Structure formats: C-alpha cells, structure tokens
Amino acid sequence: MSEHQEKSIHVAGEWRTAASGATREVLDPADATVLAVVAEGGAEDADAAIAAAHEAFGNGRGPWPATPVAERAALLRRVADLLRRDREELGLLESRDAGKTLEEGRVDVDCVADAFRYFADLVAGESGGRVVDAGSPDVHSVVVHEPVGVCALITPWNYPLLQASWKIAPALAAGNTVVVKPSEITPLTTIALVRLLVEAGLPDGAANLVTGPGDPVGARMAEHPLVDLVSFTGGLASGTRVMRAAADTVKKVALELGGKNPNVVFADACTTAEGFDTAVDQALNAAFVHSGQVCSAGSRLIVEESLRERFVAELARRADRIRIGRGTDPGVECGPLVSAAQLARTEDFVASALAEGAVLRAGGERPDEPGLADGWFYRPTVLDRCHRGMRIVREEVFGPVLTVETFRTEDEAVALANDTEYGLAGAVWTADAGRARRVAGRLRHGTVWINDFHPYLPQAEWGGFGKSGIGRELGPAGLAEYRESKHVYQNLAPRPVRWFKG
C-alpha cells in the first residue's frame, strides 16, 4: 500500500501541493513498489518557501529569532522527546524509505534526538557574549553572535533523517529560519520531522519544506538572493554546482561532499585471535553498513603486506555470509541499494575494477534468491590487488564494495591513506600506542579513529579536508556555521577626538 502525501510542501505553516500539481512516486528499494506519492515541487514552490522564511526572519526580529534562547532550547528538547515517542514509527519509515535495516533506522532516530538535545544544551549554556579588553575602563567591548538569516538546507538520500537534523537543529538553535529540501528519492522522514517541529510549537514560517528534485528546487535555493546561507550534503559534482550558484550573491556556504576513506590495519593489531577477529569484524562494519552507502564508509582497506592473505581470506569468507534482504525482515544484516541508478553505478565500478586487474574475492554480483529479484540488491564485494591507478580506488562508489591495498612500512601506509582528493575520515589499527598517535597525527582527514570505525559524537565536529567539503557540522563549530559574529564597541565616556583642527 502506498501512502499519499501530495501535500508534502510546507510553507508559512501550511501544507500544500506543488504549484504545478506535479507528484512523484517514492519507491521501496526492496521491491521497486510504490511506497508513497509526494508533491514534486519546482522553482515557484522554492520561491514561496524562501519568501515565507524571509518574512518570518524579519531582519532578526521575527517570532523565532526574537524568541529567548531558553525558549528556543526548550522547543528543541520537546522535538527530541517527540522523536523518542515516535521512535518505532520513524525507524520503520527510515528503513523502508532508504532500504537500511530496521535496527539502523532506530539508531538513526536515537542519534537525531541526541543532536536536537545537544544543540539545545549548547545554546542554553552560553553566556551573553565574549568581552574584549579594549585597554580602557571607558570602553565596553563585546563580541556577540546573531543568526545568519534564511538558511537553505539541502540533504542527501542515504541518511535523510540524520542529515536533516544535523542542519535543522543548529540552524534553529541559532535563531535562523530555514527552507529544507530533502532528496527526492527519500523524503518521507524529513516530512515527518517537519511535522514534529510544528507539533512542538515552532512558529509559522520558521521551518519550510519543499519536496522536489535538485534541479530546479535545490538550484533555486542556492542562487536565491534572499537566502543567506546554503548548507549542502551530497556528491562532489552537485556540491561544486551549489557553490557556483551561491557565488553571485556571496552567501555563506557549507558543504559536506563525502570521502574515499582509508582503513589502515597494521599486523601488530592482529597478533591475538581476539585482535584479528575485531579488526576483521570492524573492516566489515566499515565497508558494508547500509550497503556501503555512507559518506564515511571505510571502502579502502589498506593492510600490512605480511597480514594481507590471512586477513583478506577471512574478510571474504565473512562477507559472503552476510545476510541481505529487506531491511525490516528479521535477521537481515544488509539491505538494498537505494535506487536502480545506484545499483547500476555499483555494477559499473566493479566491472571497471576487474578490467583494470582487481581480483574478486567475494560478491561481485546481484543475489540469486527469488525473493530479492525485484529489489536493488548487490552482494557485499571484496576486491583484492587494488592500486591507486584504479578508478574504484579514487572515486566514491557508495555501494557495498571494499578494495584492498597493501603496504610494508608506516610511511607507505600514511602515504597511501592520504593519497586521495578527499579527506573525510579514516582509521588506524595497531597495538602500538606511539604508532597510533603518530599515524593519526599525519592523516589528513577530518575524523580519525584509532582501533575503531564509524562512531561519532554530536559534541565533536564532523567534516573533511580537501574535496570532502567546507565547514563543519556538529560540535560548537557546527553551531557557528549558522551565526554571524558582531563586535559591539561602546564608548562610555565620549569626548572630541580633535583629529581635525579646523
């Protein structure tokens, strides 16, 4: 059964259809059936939502930016409580919409609630500004922070609820008004999140939503003169287009554009049975959680040469045993890819790798189980004997594909890990504490895990070096993205300067 949500566009407190009347079918990636029907917005809808956000901001005097910080924080905490209340419903919706397992969907809801609560606590605990010593008792000088204004928030299809929260929570905490555009492939939980914002009491116009494609909706948001900031998470090519579109109006830009993330394993991490089992297990988690459709996926295994054969053999054996299927089915460990296009892209990458000399150790094909034939499934794949010259080692696949490279020395390991135009995340596995600190210090990536992979904390900044993007999400810097700094200098004893004598 499909759910009809033709009124999925939210502008100035009103749920409405697209101005053109167009709709889009949202498909279930497990069997390609229609999961929901939503409004297919266009440039006219984007303009209306931006105008509503601009009016609601009111040059910083609108209902939401003028709301005292304690009340803004209280509303964000109410949203966190509502998310906990609806955890099962939202987790199921995220699982069906994005194809991930039900447990992953539930975890995502928990993380979203944590993000809203973190930013509520962060703003509530701040002082009134930073006093600057001007060197005179007759001067009061303070730096204060104010909201940027209208924020255009463009989110990806892989973590629709989580990525929306990483933008919406700090933007609202800072007192901005927002226009959100979720991916047209997975919009359902973002629609549900906006409904929770309304239920929590957010004023009309403070949070607006336009469902529709990147072109024209996202493109219009990026270029619009009334938008003060655009925050985009997605692919590199789309991110550069957003940046170009924003340039003419010199608006603030925040970009999170993915990565090609190394997972470096030294042999000394695997000298015990427990150490070996843990490193292999974590390599599977790094590469195959959510079918590899994770910006920080550890898709590049860089393993010490002396360990390679033993490690890759066990990795391949376990990869072949991963149970794939519909994410809501009991016991399923890996769901489908999000779309037919993503499946075709993954198949193309694997074919190119094999043509360039990679050795297939596991997967490399669609499953042959009859119940999976209609979905966009692909077996977890391990490709050995890979090198930097291969396209699959350089470019982001966003599928369940792990490449294997080897090294002999610490310097070679670091050079391989940094040999990428991206720099989002990476990990190092070693039993040597000194080596762990040295390698972590030399890796040019925004997040570095030591003897772990994938955890993040809402209080710690997230973002990357190089072409992984600009700016940070989460942490104090994630809040700062949505603020302007203002220096207020007050002369308490004004007198003539007499610079000009006449």
Side-chain angles (χ1 to χ4, degrees):
M1 290 289 291
S2 65
E3 182 181 357
H4 287 264
Q5 297 191 45
E6 286 91 343
K7 289 188 176 182
S8 61
I9 294 174
H10 188 69
V11 176
E14 176 192 1
W15 290 98
R16 58 175 72 172
T17 60
S20 67
T23 60
R24 173 185 287 265
E25 293 179 342
V26 178
L27 302 181
D28 187 333
D31 58 14
T33 58
V34 177
L35 184 60
V37 179
V38 300
E40 180 83 324
E44 185 177 348
D45 301 292
D47 287 346
I50 293 165
H54 179 71
E55 182 177 354
F57 186 70
N59 287 319
R61 296 181 177 84
W64 183 246
T67 298
V69 170
E71 293 181 27
R72 293 207 302 263
L75 185 140
L76 294 184
R77 294 191 186 102
R78 287 199 296 275
V79 174
D81 291 340
L82 293 173
L83 286 159
R84 299 288 189 189
R85 180 197 71 186
D86 295 346
R87 180 179 188 258
E88 287 302 309
E89 177 186 340
L90 291 169
L92 175 61
L93 189 60
E94 189 79 336
S95 171
R96 295 192 66 194
D97 199 11
K100 61 185 65 178
T101 65
L102 182 56
E103 187 55 34
E104 287 178 88
R106 290 169 176 151
V107 169
D108 284 358
V109 178
D110 292 341
C111 291
V112 169
D114 289 344
F116 272 92
R117 197 169 297 281
Y118 167 73
F119 283 110
D121 293 345
L122 185 61
V123 294
E126 291 181 324
S127 61
R130 176 169 57 90
V131 175
V132 179
D133 184 0
S136 168
D138 293 334
V139 172
H140 178 261
S141 180
V142 62
V143 174
V144 296
H145 302 291
E146 298 183 359
V148 173
V150 175
C151 299
L153 312 177
I154 305 172
T155 61
W157 49 257
N158 61 330
Y159 282 88
L161 187 61
L162 187 69
Q163 291 292 333
S165 74
W166 284 13
K167 301 179 190 300
I168 293 172
L172 293 181
N176 298 284
T177 58
V178 304
V179 180
V180 186
K181 192 208 87 66
S183 168
E184 62 271 28
I185 300 173
T186 56
L188 302 183
T189 50
T190 306
I191 296 170
L193 178 57
V194 172
R195 293 188 185 280
L196 293 185
L197 293 173
V198 173
E199 183 179 349
L202 191 69
D204 291 349
N208 306 273
L209 170 72
V210 182
T211 51
D215 187 6
V217 177
R220 182 60 178 150
M221 290 165 65
E223 70 183 11
H224 202 289
L226 294 183
V227 168
D228 301 291
L229 174 150
V230 58
S231 177
F232 171 86
T233 299
L236 176 59
S238 297
T240 55
R241 287 196 293 270
V242 166
M243 197 170 183
R244 290 190 192 102
D248 285 346
T249 50
V250 199
K251 56 174 59 73
K252 293 186 71 173
V253 176
L255 304 173
E256 203 268 80
L257 305 179
K260 195 64 181 174
N261 312 291
N263 185 22
V264 180
V265 181
F266 285 89
D268 65 18
C270 299
T271 55
T272 66
E274 182 180 7
F276 179 79
D277 175 68
T278 299
V280 171
D281 174 78
Q282 288 276 19
L284 292 168
N285 291 344
F288 300 133
V289 164
H290 193 18
S291 293
Q293 300 170 118
V294 184
C295 60
S296 57
S299 58
R300 292 179 67 202
L301 175 64
I302 302 174
V303 62
E304 192 164 351
E305 178 62 39
S306 63
L307 179 65
R308 184 192 64 81
E309 184 52 43
R310 176 178 170 231
F311 196 95
V312 175
E314 179 63 9
L315 186 73
R317 185 187 72 82
R318 296 193 198 182
D320 277 335
R321 294 168 62 88
I322 292 174
R323 184 179 174 191
I324 62 176
R326 180 185 289 276
T328 54
D329 288 347
V332 166
E333 299 168 317
C334 195
L337 294 169
V338 75
S339 66
Q342 201 59 31
L343 173 59
R345 174 183 170 86
T346 301
E347 290 179 314
D348 179 65
F349 265 105
V350 172
S352 73
L354 295 176
E356 291 173 333
V359 176
L360 182 66
R361 300 292 295 268
E365 61 185 2
R366 302 185 192 188
D368 54 11
E369 292 91 333
L372 306 181
D374 294 331
W376 301 309
F377 295 93
Y378 197 77
R379 290 199 175 281
T381 298
V382 178
L383 294 169
D384 199 2
R385 306 290 182 181
C386 295
H387 57 78
R388 179 72 176 119
M390 294 176 174
R391 173 176 168 243
I392 201 166
V393 175
R394 299 191 309 272
E395 299 179 23
E396 194 172 31
V397 178
F398 245 60
V401 180
L402 177 65
T403 62
V404 181
E405 302 164 78
T406 60
F407 66 90
R408 289 186 175 86
T409 68
E410 183 178 311
D411 285 345
E412 186 180 3
V414 171
L416 284 171
N418 285 335
D419 190 10
T420 172
E421 63 183 3
Y422 295 102
L424 183 59
V428 54
W429 289 82
T430 178
D432 184 328
R435 170 180 283 161
R437 288 191 293 272
R438 285 194 308 272
V439 173
R442 295 172 67 189
L443 292 182
R444 297 283 296 168
H445 300 272
T447 293
V448 177
W449 296 288
I450 298 174
N451 297 335
D452 211 329
F453 210 103
H454 276 320
Y456 76 91
L457 303 171
Q459 61 267 36
E461 280 76 2
W462 180 265
F465 295 11
K467 291 185 178 179
S468 282
I470 298 171
R472 292 294 184 269
E473 297 190 293
L474 303 180
L479 178 64
E481 294 286 347
Y482 295 94
R483 285 174 159 175
E484 297 281 14
S485 296
K486 177 186 286 186
H487 178 205
V488 179
Y489 180 105
Q490 183 180 7
N491 188 337
L492 302 175
R495 61 183 63 89
V497 177
R498 305 300 185 196
W499 185 271
F500 301 103
K501 310 302 182 184

